[in-house]
Amino acid sequence: MNVYAYYNYRKYLQDYYEYRKSVQRYFSYRSFARKAGYSSSGFYLDLIRGRKSLTPQMLPKFIAALGLNEKEARYFTLMVDFTHATTPASKQQIFDQMSALLPRAVKTLTKNQQEYYSKWYYVAAREALSVLNINEGNIQELALFLSPKISLPQAKQAIQLLLDLGLIEKTDGFYKSVNKTVTSGREVAPLFVHQFQKQMIDLAKDALDHYTTARRNISTTTMSVSADGLERIIRKIDMFQKEILDIVHSDNGETILCELNVQFFPLSKEKCAEDKGEDGK
């Protein structure tokens, strides 16, 4: 398990458990609890699901149980702080410290990620090259094609960045996307991806006013669910997104660029089991 491939310790713990379980049949939450020196076998699962948080007092025991070396332990400790941080400024400060500990190859990918996701039109420009035939002589067409349109300098900047990152190349005289992903192991750094997602959510709000229902599909549903129901819905959304990607990958003759934002998030705190009555309600 490569700890440097993660930025959220809850996701790391989830994958660590699944990996250990796959190679060691008798590995369990209870066996890890014994190794880490705590009594509650449900604590590990509570950490993964975000119901509880890893405290500074528990950190040394977890690090020992996970078998991390000194440098990995420093990274894991920062990862816990990064996951718990609540402001963009504090997250950025911790992220910079985490980046300093990354292996050189991973550090390069992380820097590329940060640039690529810093502006919505960098990602959009790459996808637009599947629709348009763009070269250095008609970059203005790319600028005007995007909605909202961008400036010519911004379009040129996007093309240059994509070339520098190796995400596009010249093919038959035109810039075309290379089938290559900007990623850092199992998880894309949430700090800058979140900023990209916020930009796309803002564009979705504008779409409510700029496009008719024949050109968009934006709906909202407010619901109450159990913890199990919440996990099932998230898995269903993951499956739905994969089905959409299957359509995209098998599609041809593209004429338009679209954005899909799927939003599913809590509107309340979670009622704990001990708060329920004897009948479970």
Side-chain angles (χ1 to χ4, degrees), residues 29-30 33 38-49 51-52:
Y29 295 122
R30 189 176 300 279
Y38 62 90
S39 58
S40 173
S41 60
F43 181 64
Y44 196 103
L45 190 58
D46 285 338
L47 289 176
I48 292 174
R49 292 181 174 176
R51 291 195 290 254
K52 293 184 179 179

Side-chain angles (χ1 to χ4, degrees), residues 1 41 45 96 106 115 125 141 144 160 178 183 193 232 238-239 259:
M1 286 292 299
S41 60
L45 190 58
D96 291 341
V106 178
E115 263 191 296
E141 290 185 26
L144 297 176
Q160 189 58 57
V178 175
T183 183
V193 172
R232 290 171 60 195
D238 288 339
M239 291 173 60
E259 174 70 17

Side-chain angles (χ1 to χ4, degrees), residues 77-226:
T77 300
L78 288 169
M79 182 162 54
V80 171
D81 292 338
F82 180 83
T83 306
H84 292 165
T86 57
T87 67
S90 59
K91 279 187 172 293
Q92 184 65 59
Q93 183 181 30
I94 299 167
F95 177 77
D96 291 341
Q97 296 178 61
M98 293 170 68
S99 296
L101 295 174
L102 291 173
R104 179 174 296 179
V106 178
K107 191 180 299 184
T108 300
L109 287 174
T110 301
K111 182 180 178 182
N112 290 350
Q113 285 181 334
Q114 192 162 14
E115 263 191 296
Y116 182 57
Y117 289 107
S118 64
K119 298 287 190 296
W120 70 270
Y121 53 82
Y122 291 158
V123 180
R126 182 189 180 196
E127 291 300 318
L129 295 177
S130 297
V131 181
L132 304 175
N133 287 324
I134 298 295
N135 55 33
E136 60 274 5
N138 67 342
I139 295 179
Q140 181 70 37
E141 290 185 26
L142 172 63
L144 297 176
F145 180 71
L146 298 183
S147 180
K149 65 182 179 181
I150 61 177
S151 68
L152 178 57
Q154 287 174 326
K156 289 182 176 180
Q157 184 181 33
I159 291 295
Q160 189 58 57
L161 175 66
L162 294 172
L163 285 170
D164 292 343
L165 298 182
L167 295 176
I168 63 173
E169 63 184 10
K170 232 6 177 359
T171 303
D172 298 326
F174 298 106
Y175 299 119
K176 293 300 176 183
S177 176
V178 175
N179 187 20
K180 183 178 179 181
T181 303
V182 179
T183 183
S184 174
R186 296 292 298 275
E187 181 181 285
V188 176
L191 180 64
F192 36 87
V193 172
H194 287 177
Q195 296 304 312
F196 169 76
Q197 290 170 333
K198 288 177 183 178
Q199 293 179 53
M200 286 305 186
I201 290 172
D202 287 338
L203 292 180
K205 290 189 295 185
D206 293 338
L208 283 169
D209 298 323
H210 295 158
Y211 297 99
T212 67
T213 54
R215 303 286 282 177
R216 60 168 172 81
N217 186 321
I218 299 177
S219 60
T220 57
T221 305
T222 305
M223 65 197 82
S224 58
V225 297
S226 66

Side-chain angles (χ1 to χ4, degrees), residues 54-68:
L54 198 54
T55 64
Q57 293 75 21
M58 290 294 301
L59 258 175
K61 297 179 180 180
F62 261 73
I63 288 170
L66 292 167
L68 302 177

